[in-house]
């Protein structure tokens, strides 16, 4: 949540809502599959790095150093965090230590599959055209195994000011990938099945932007954040 000064993490559950971070900018959180930890991006050390806290917000630990790391996601065993830098995809142990380079390539929105075998991400082969694709990388064989087209006007960047979370989302059963597209003029969630079927739209909003979303554990529901801005008309008299 942006409070006119910094971006901070909040947790909402059945017990209510509480703030987890209180300094610098903190964004793009991911909770470990075992529910014990949250990793996120933070500028509290001066640059964008990956940090870890307990699920109640206590005991912050810096996991990476350097000039820029982004979009962390957990492996299913909660032991590793996969993230991207400007030109590389890496992983680092939940306990910290030296990072391990997975491959050198500029990607957007990386997400680890539920079984931990695959990594999906957006790629743009011709930056001047802004034509994006989804590729799926096999972490075992170190190779790209699938590639999908996306609707026109689909981009990992939606123009929002305060760091929208535009990573891909695997369906809980690992059989598809969901993402946000502005195809048709409004921001909606689309689904790409891994079996090669054509992408299809899951929501049908007519306005506003989706800044983040997540699946329920059973895959039957999606929770999302939409930027529904209110506009106030102002009369200006020219002199």
């Amino acid at each position: 949540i942006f409070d006119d000064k910094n971006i901070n993490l909040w947790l909402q559950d059945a017990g209510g809502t509480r703030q987890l971070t209180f300094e610098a900018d903190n964004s793009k959180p991911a909770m470990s599959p075992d529910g014990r930890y949250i990793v996120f991006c933070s500028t509290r050390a001066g640059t964008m790095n990956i940090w870890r806290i307990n699920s109640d917000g206590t005991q912050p630990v810096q996991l990476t150093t350097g000039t820029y790391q982004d979009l962390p996601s957990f492996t299913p065993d909660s032991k590793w965090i996969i993230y991207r830098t400007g030109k590389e995809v890496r992983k680092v142990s939940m306990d910290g230590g030296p990072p391990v380079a997975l491959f050198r390539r500029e990607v957007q929105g990386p997400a680890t599959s539920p079984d931990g075998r695959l990594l999906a991400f957006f790629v743009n082969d011709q930056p001047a055209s802004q034509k994006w694709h989804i590729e799926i990388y096999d972490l075992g064989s170190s190779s790209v195994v699938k590639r999908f087209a996306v609707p026109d006007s689909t981009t990992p960047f939606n123009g929002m000011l305060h760091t929208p979370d535009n990573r891909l989302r695997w369906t809980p059963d690992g059989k598809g990938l969901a993402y946000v597209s502005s195809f048709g003029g409004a921001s909606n969630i689309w689904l790409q099945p891994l079996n090669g079927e054509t992408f299809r739209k899951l929501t049908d909003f007519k306005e506003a932007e989706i800044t983040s979303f997540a699946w329920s554990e059973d895959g039957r529901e999606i929770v999302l954040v939409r930027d529904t801005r209110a506009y106030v008309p102002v009369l200006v008299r020219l002199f």
Side-chain angles (χ1 to χ4, degrees), residues 8-11 20-21 26-42 49-57 61 63 70-76 78-83 94 110-112 165 167-169 212-214:
N8 277 298
L9 305 183
W10 292 66
L11 179 68
L20 299 179
T21 61
N26 309 274
S27 60
K28 302 171 186 174
M31 181 168 282
S32 62
D34 61 16
R36 296 176 58 197
Y37 301 105
I38 297 171
V39 293
F40 56 98
C41 302
S42 180
N49 302 126
I50 309 299
W51 285 70
R52 185 197 79 201
I53 53 175
N54 294 339
S55 59
D56 62 0
V61 176
L63 297 179
D70 194 15
L71 291 172
S73 63
F74 281 92
T75 55
S78 298
K79 293 181 179 180
W80 294 89
I81 295 99
I82 293 178
Y83 63 96
M94 169 61 89
T112 312
D165 188 348
R167 78 189 86 188
L168 292 156
R169 262 72 170 180
S212 185
F213 72 95

Side-chain angles (χ1 to χ4, degrees), residues 138-158:
D138 188 303
L139 294 169
S141 64
S142 300
S143 61
V144 174
V145 293
K146 290 181 182 291
R147 179 179 169 95
F148 300 107
V150 295
D152 293 341
S153 303
T154 301
T155 170
F157 313 102
N158 66 6

Side-chain angles (χ1 to χ4, degrees), residues 11 13 25 60 63 69 98 105 107 109 113-114 119 143 147 151-152 156 169 180 202 204 224 230 234:
L11 179 68
D13 56 21
D25 286 326
L63 297 179
Q69 296 89 39
R105 192 176 182 189
V107 306
S113 64
L119 186 70
S143 61
R147 179 179 169 95
D152 293 341
R169 262 72 170 180
V180 175
L202 296 181
D204 192 26
L224 54 89
V234 177

Side-chain angles (χ1 to χ4, degrees), residues 77-144:
D77 58 10
S78 298
K79 293 181 179 180
W80 294 89
I81 295 99
I82 293 178
Y83 63 96
R84 73 180 184 102
T85 67
K87 297 291 185 181
E88 197 170 58
V89 176
R90 301 174 181 173
K91 68 177 182 178
V92 65
S93 168
M94 169 61 89
D95 300 320
V100 177
L102 297 178
F103 58 92
R104 184 170 178 79
R105 192 176 182 189
E106 185 174 353
V107 306
Q108 300 290 341
T112 312
S113 64
D115 62 8
R117 295 177 49 250
L118 304 172
L119 186 70
F121 43 80
F122 289 107
V123 294
N124 185 351
D125 300 328
Q126 298 177 326
S129 71
Q130 287 300 302
K131 181 65 176 177
W132 294 86
H133 290 80
I134 294 171
E135 288 189 353
I136 299 180
Y137 182 87
D138 188 303
L139 294 169
S141 64
S142 300
S143 61
V144 174

Side-chain angles (χ1 to χ4, degrees), residues 154-229:
T154 301
T155 170
F157 313 102
N158 66 6
M160 297 295 294
L161 177 62
H162 299 300
T163 61
D165 188 348
N166 292 326
R167 78 189 86 188
L168 292 156
R169 262 72 170 180
W170 290 85
T171 56
D173 61 9
K175 295 182 179 180
L177 287 158
Y179 55 91
V180 175
S181 174
S182 295
F183 178 77
S187 184
N188 280 288
I189 298 173
W190 292 67
L191 177 70
Q192 174 61 62
L194 261 64
N195 62 10
E197 293 179 3
T198 303
F199 49 73
R200 65 180 187 272
K201 191 162 59 170
L202 296 181
T203 63
D204 192 26
F205 297 113
K206 305 302 182 184
E207 60 180 358
E209 298 217 32
I210 297 173
T211 59
S212 185
F213 72 95
W215 290 94
S216 62
E217 290 187 5
D218 61 10
R220 299 175 62 184
E221 296 177 314
I222 293 175
V223 60
L224 54 89
V225 178
R226 296 176 68 221
D227 178 46
T228 54
R229 301 178 181 179

